[in-house]
Amino acid sequence: MIGKDSNVMKAWEFTVRKTHAAAKKRANSIFGTISLANVEVEEDENNRDNDNDDDDEEGGSKSFELYQADKVLANGDYYTGEWADNLPHGVGKYLWTDGCMYVGEWYKGKTKGIGRFSWPSGATYEGEFKSGFMDGNGTYTGCNGDTYKGQWVMNLKHGHGLKSCVNGDWYEGEWRRDLKEGQGRYEWKDESYYVGEWKNGSVWGKGSFVWANGNSFEGYWEEGVPKGNGSFKWPDGSYYEGNWNKDAKDYNGTFYPSESSEEGHFDWDPQELYNELSEYVVCPGEKVSVLPSQKRLAVWRSTKGGDSGKNRRTSVDGRVSSEGAERTPDRTSLCDEGNVSAGPRTSTVGCDLDEELMALQVDNLDDIVAQLQPLKAPKKSKRQGETICKGHKNYELMLNLQLGIRHSVGRPAPAASLDLKPSAFDPKEKVWTRFPPEGSKYTPPHPSCDFRWKDYCPVVFRTLRKLFNVDSADYMLSICGNDALRELSSPGKSGSFFYLTDDDRYMIKTMKKAEVKVLIKMLPAYYNHFRAHENTLLTKYYGLHCVKLTGTAQKKVRFIIMGNLFRSEYTIHRRFDLKGSSLGRMTDKPEAEISETTILKDLDLNFIFRLQKSWFQDFCRQVDRDCELLEQEGIMDYSLLVGIHFKDISQDGDIIPSGGSRTPCGDSENEGTPQLTRKDTDQLLLDPARWASIVLGVNMPARVERTVRRNDIELQLVGEPIGEFYEVVLFFGIIDILQDYDISKKLEHAYKSIQYDPTSISAVDPRQYSRRFRDFIFRIFTEDS
């Protein structure tokens, strides 16, 4: 035993020495020269709390060395200035090969603080930066000579600012998302001016226009022209007051002459006002082709020797497969270098023990990160679903569904108030309609079989559609138009079938009777919740119906119509269904077969989602409110469905990290260098229409940080962040909210608890489920600092 323990201790000592040697070698390759003591401190701190890596404040203590650098990077970019941890940090100048240049303050590879960014066109911005964006107070001078001095938020003029145009015009006032909005004054070069309200970059609201000759108009405006009540005044005191409309042939107004003036102005035509205003055009804004936040940095990263260049198959979250992996030189050389014992037999035992220790040793996070491959965009997938055309087994069911929807939505009904009576939610509130093939007094003839149609709580769902701003004609056109529905390839885990409308706007799901009862029971609380919280993340339901075939079959098909969360002009590259449980929560597909439509699960998740402060606060509040409702209604087993659109993807399919992040190891010649042109990542921010479409959970610009899981931690639910960020657009919502904790779920919980950890299974009571769900969600969604 003494000899064996001695061998174990010596093998352990070799492991420790190897770890320190690897750390020293890695540190020297990054910093040049540094003491081993500093490396050990840094590694100890990182191992204690990886989540605190980003909490260092500027000016605080740093575990890395700051020094002057003068670097020509791999892609031809040039940097001179202060450098730390393989990134610009401090004060420095970065010159890109396309001619863009930034001079100023840096923080961990991002422009942050005071700086000056210049474009090859001659345009410049001088002022404050945050996280790579023009953000704070700053002055932008365009290549045409126009200047803006004022407040910025994420590359957009936002707040109070003064814009001076090269033609002599100027505007001072409020801006919102790069457009004039709020109170402001615009003065033209001839000294005519407008003072009043603006909206979406044009004169809109109440305001006054004063010409250089003394004439003036005061009243209401819309899209840059008078519309509504207003009065036009002459310098002599006479004025015309009335209702204005550019397209009106006859004006409804009154002329009031001045008592002190002999001029009449009786022949003046109100239409002349619009002709005069047509000469006064607001100076258009300059479109910036490339923004500072879009510029990527070509950073260096050391590669490990040995198998760093070998191709290894990785799982979705980046964990390296051990299949076929060769033993590293470090591991094989331990037996040769270690003087474990003089005898051959003891030496063999020492090697065996050494191998056991290496297998049991906690994986070094840096070693895992070094083996990561760049993220790849999933393979393109065909349009989801099979079109239900004539001859399809569910063709008649689709016809029945479309006939019933057209009848339900098109049926005349009095305008419903949002304040519904309790009787509208009564489970007995159902409307049956028979659809014979030859037609009837209320239904048209049709080519399908004889069937009966049932509407559940029709007044409630009609009012919900009104609450969701759904136009009845558009709703019918989507579901009942000439285009057929599409059936998804396979039923869900619950056995339900899903159908999509041709425009992808709505999803139709078949339901069990128990689910219908759950929805009807929770409908009053569901309705009131949507009235109280317009940003709720819960699934939107538009109608609940049933088709009953007559004759011998007597088959009933119940279905719900709901919104499709992922209907967007953006391609959804990753889809995750997240519950906060681990048992069975991993996709069974190999990585090569994962496409854009594959639904990944909790243990596949390899990102942390970072939202801007205000959105993150709204998100946390809304998740709490939604989960409280579901808990009160006895609901469990729901999920957060998340879709990710990556903004920067190369032509080769590599997902490109944002500037300042670590670059995955690869070919050392091209390491960290984007080789291909990317799409404009800030198109969303520059387009006001897209900005207006952003609501909580839809079209949300954000960042995701890549994570990895240690191989030694079984079923680690949330991976560890590695500082590699990606610019994304997020879509998310809470789905599957119709499962209550009934007897079947209680039995499932009892059965699985015997075999598995009870906290890892999905079937738990609603209160525990809500707590676990929220705890998980608030770990993977964080505020973007």
Side-chain angles (χ1 to χ4, degrees):
M1 287 299 293
I2 295 176
K4 185 174 182 180
D5 290 343
S6 174
N7 288 337
V8 171
M9 289 301 299
K10 288 180 179 180
W12 176 80
E13 289 172 2
F14 277 117
T15 301
V16 172
R17 282 204 293 271
K18 274 294 174 182
T19 302
H20 287 175
K24 183 175 181 180
K25 182 179 179 182
R26 181 166 58 254
N28 287 338
S29 67
I30 297 175
F31 304 121
T33 305
I34 193 168
S35 68
L36 179 59
N38 288 339
V39 176
E40 293 172 6
V41 170
E42 179 187 354
E43 290 202 344
D44 287 343
E45 289 176 353
N46 288 342
N47 289 335
R48 274 200 303 269
D49 193 357
N50 278 312
D51 291 335
N52 291 332
D53 287 348
D54 296 331
D55 293 339
D56 296 334
E57 295 296 333
E58 292 172 86
S61 61
K62 299 291 189 297
S63 58
F64 48 78
E65 182 181 351
L66 185 69
Y67 64 94
Q68 280 301 120
D70 194 7
K71 295 180 180 287
V72 177
L73 302 177
N75 67 340
D77 292 355
Y78 171 74
Y79 175 81
T80 179
E82 294 176 297
W83 187 271
D85 198 26
N86 202 35
L87 294 169
H89 185 84
V91 178
K93 177 172 72 173
Y94 195 107
L95 179 64
W96 286 269
T97 53
D98 62 0
C100 292
M101 182 174 67
Y102 173 80
V103 181
E105 297 177 320
W106 297 79
Y107 184 71
K108 294 186 177 180
K110 281 191 177 291
T111 55
K112 183 175 181 181
I114 303 298
R116 185 177 189 271
F117 192 96
S118 58
W119 287 262
S121 64
T124 61
Y125 169 84
E126 190 165 357
E128 294 179 282
F129 288 81
K130 290 180 185 176
S131 299
F133 292 90
M134 300 182 288
D135 200 307
N137 289 304
T139 301
Y140 175 83
T141 304
C143 59
N144 60 356
D146 293 352
T147 63
Y148 168 83
K149 184 176 183 180
Q151 296 174 311
W152 298 76
V153 173
M154 292 187 67
N155 295 333
L156 302 179
K157 305 175 190 73
H158 193 90
H160 188 84
L162 169 65
K163 179 177 179 180
S164 301
C165 302
V166 70
N167 65 358
D169 297 357
W170 59 270
Y171 168 84
E172 183 173 13
E174 298 302 313
W175 297 75
R176 185 172 175 81
R177 297 167 183 161
D178 224 34
L179 296 172
K180 305 172 186 70
E181 185 157 329
Q183 289 289 330
R185 175 188 174 105
Y186 192 101
E187 185 168 315
W188 283 263
K189 59 184 178 180
D190 68 351
E191 297 185 351
S192 299
Y193 63 89
Y194 167 83
V195 179
E197 297 176 344
W198 296 73
K199 181 180 177 182
N200 290 334
S202 65
V203 175
W204 198 312
K206 189 175 182 180
S208 301
F209 192 103
V210 180
W211 282 261
N213 62 10
N215 292 346
S216 65
F217 173 85
E218 183 174 0
Y220 288 90
W221 301 71
E222 190 172 305
E223 294 185 330
V225 295
K227 187 172 184 181
N229 293 326
S231 61
F232 183 88
K233 297 181 180 179
W234 286 267
D236 62 6
S238 53
Y239 63 95
Y240 177 93
E241 186 170 4
N243 202 339
W244 301 78
N245 192 328
K246 183 178 180 180
D247 300 324
K249 296 180 179 179
D250 299 319
Y251 285 89
N252 180 18
T254 306
F255 175 75
Y256 298 92
S258 171
E259 297 178 358
S260 60
S261 175
E262 297 180 358
E263 294 184 29
H265 304 295
F266 290 102
D267 297 332
W268 183 76
D269 184 358
Q271 188 65 34
E272 293 181 21
L273 172 62
Y274 295 95
N275 297 332
E276 292 179 18
L277 287 172
S278 63
E279 301 175 8
Y280 293 90
V281 180
V282 174
C283 181
E286 177 187 348
K287 292 293 183 183
V288 183
S289 57
V290 179
L291 293 169
S293 59
Q294 295 173 254
K295 301 304 293 179
R296 301 295 181 248
L297 309 185
V299 296
W300 290 342
R301 183 170 180 86
S302 62
T303 56
K304 299 185 67 177
D307 60 348
S308 62
K310 296 178 183 178
N311 293 324
R312 286 189 175 186
R313 183 175 64 84
T314 58
S315 64
V316 176
D317 71 343
R319 285 179 285 182
V320 181
S321 171
S322 59
E323 293 178 13
E326 297 180 11
R327 296 172 68 190
T328 63
D330 285 346
R331 183 172 293 188
T332 56
S333 64
L334 278 175
C335 296
D336 300 329
E337 294 177 5
N339 186 17
V340 178
S341 177
R345 181 176 179 182
T346 311
S347 176
T348 305
V349 172
C351 288
D352 292 339
L353 291 171
D354 191 10
E355 290 293 335
E356 290 175 13
L357 284 172
M358 292 296 291
L360 293 173
Q361 163 190 341
V362 175
D363 290 327
N364 188 305
L365 187 63
D366 288 340
D367 293 339
I368 299 174
V369 170
Q371 295 174 4
L372 286 179
Q373 299 297 319
L375 284 182
K376 288 280 189 181
K379 63 181 182 180
K380 297 283 184 182
S381 58
K382 296 179 181 179
R383 196 179 187 197
Q384 275 188 292
E386 175 190 0
T387 302
I388 304 176
C389 47
K390 201 163 187 178
H392 191 282
K393 61 179 182 179
N394 289 325
Y395 179 70
E396 283 197 345
L397 179 63
M398 183 194 73
L399 291 182
N400 298 346
L401 188 153
Q402 291 178 323
L403 286 165
I405 293 291
R406 191 179 291 115
H407 171 77
S408 297
V409 178
R411 185 169 54 231
S417 167
L418 294 180
D419 297 317
L420 296 180
K421 297 179 180 179
S423 58
F425 299 93
D426 192 324
K428 297 179 181 178
E429 189 66 18
K430 308 167 187 174
V431 178
W432 279 101
T433 306
R434 184 167 174 249
F435 282 78
E438 65 276 8
S440 68
K441 182 179 179 181
Y442 303 103
T443 62
H446 58 86
S448 184
C449 60
D450 191 359
F451 70 94
R452 294 182 70 197
W453 173 264
K454 183 198 287 188
D455 285 317
Y456 296 89
C457 300
V459 175
V460 177
F461 285 103
R462 183 184 292 270
T463 313
L464 277 172
R465 293 194 293 271
K466 178 181 177 181
L467 196 63
F468 299 153
N469 296 317
V470 174
D471 181 78
S472 297
D474 291 340
Y475 183 72
M476 279 198 291
L477 192 62
S478 291
I479 302 174
C480 314
N482 295 328
D483 298 312
L485 302 177
R486 305 196 312 278
E487 183 180 74
L488 298 192
S489 56
S490 61
K493 186 177 178 181
S494 64
S496 300
F497 283 86
F498 291 86
Y499 303 90
L500 280 172
T501 57
D502 187 69
D503 59 5
D504 290 331
R505 189 182 298 271
Y506 301 104
M507 183 174 285
I508 300 166
K509 174 189 174 185
T510 61
M511 301 180 70
K512 297 178 181 178
K513 186 176 182 179
E515 291 178 308
V516 173
K517 288 183 176 180
V518 170
L519 179 54
I520 294 296
K521 179 181 172 230
M522 69 180 292
L523 197 54
Y526 175 87
Y527 177 80
N528 291 328
H529 189 75
F530 269 91
R531 283 198 65 186
H533 308 294
E534 62 179 357
N535 286 330
T536 176
L537 300 175
L538 298 180
T539 307
K540 290 182 177 178
Y541 293 130
Y542 299 96
L544 180 62
H545 312 282
C546 175
V547 169
K548 181 180 179 182
L549 304 180
T550 57
T552 55
Q554 294 286 310
K555 181 182 178 182
K556 281 185 180 180
V557 180
R558 303 169 185 87
F559 57 89
I560 188 82
I561 302 175
M562 51 192 176
N564 180 14
L565 180 64
F566 292 154
R567 182 184 183 266
S568 170
E569 61 186 44
Y570 293 105
T571 301
I572 306 298
H573 298 117
R574 283 277 195 272
R575 302 172 188 230
F576 291 95
D577 181 276
L578 306 172
K579 293 177 183 287
S581 58
S582 58
L583 183 62
R585 301 298 297 164
M586 181 183 286
T587 182
D588 54 359
K589 286 188 176 182
E591 188 179 8
E593 294 181 17
I594 293 174
S595 69
E596 293 171 345
T597 58
T598 302
I599 303 295
L600 304 171
K601 299 178 183 178
D602 300 66
L603 293 177
D604 300 312
L605 182 65
N606 54 336
F607 299 108
I608 286 177
F609 306 100
R610 299 194 178 275
L611 305 180
Q612 294 175 32
K613 182 176 181 179
S614 60
W615 282 330
F616 176 69
Q617 291 173 345
D618 290 344
F619 171 78
C620 291
R621 281 193 294 266
Q622 197 56 57
V623 169
D624 279 334
R625 290 165 180 162
D626 292 342
C627 288
E628 285 167 6
L629 170 73
L630 297 175
E631 183 180 331
Q632 291 167 8
E633 294 299 315
I635 305 298
M636 44 78 67
D637 215 23
Y638 43 88
S639 313
L640 185 75
L641 188 63
V642 181
I644 308 175
H645 166 81
F646 292 96
K647 290 182 179 179
D648 296 337
I649 298 180
S650 71
Q651 293 179 7
D652 290 336
D654 288 338
I655 302 175
I656 304 172
S658 60
S661 62
R662 67 161 287 280
T663 304
C665 299
D667 187 353
S668 59
E669 294 182 1
N670 300 321
E671 190 175 17
T673 307
Q675 299 295 314
L676 299 167
T677 304
R678 10 169 253 292
K679 295 181 180 179
D680 182 2
T681 62
D682 288 276
Q683 185 178 7
L684 174 70
L685 295 176
L686 290 177
D687 188 340
R690 288 191 182 180
W691 187 282
S693 70
I694 298 172
V695 296
L696 189 65
V698 179
N699 290 332
M700 293 194 66
R703 293 197 307 163
V704 295
E705 182 177 3
R706 193 176 181 184
T707 63
V708 296
R709 291 178 173 84
R710 293 182 185 273
N711 295 334
D712 63 300
I713 303 178
E714 187 70 19
L715 299 180
Q716 184 183 5
L717 200 55
V718 180
E720 300 183 38
I722 61 173
E724 183 173 296
F725 296 90
Y726 299 86
E727 302 290 337
V728 299
V729 179
L730 292 182
F731 300 80
F732 50 81
I734 298 176
I735 63 169
D736 294 338
I737 60 172
L738 298 179
Q739 177 62 62
D740 63 350
Y741 195 51
D742 59 11
I743 186 63
S744 64
K745 287 295 178 182
K746 291 176 182 177
L747 289 173
E748 179 185 343
H749 174 81
Y751 174 72
K752 289 184 176 180
S753 295
I754 299 172
Q755 299 175 298
Y756 309 103
D757 178 4
T759 61
S760 70
I761 61 180
S762 294
V764 295
D765 75 84
R767 180 176 296 180
Q768 183 182 346
Y769 192 94
S770 174
R771 284 200 303 267
R772 186 181 66 187
F773 178 81
R774 279 187 270 185
D775 177 66
F776 174 67
I777 296 303
F778 294 150
R779 289 171 65 195
I780 61 172
F781 278 81
T782 65
E783 181 182 326
D784 197 2
S785 56

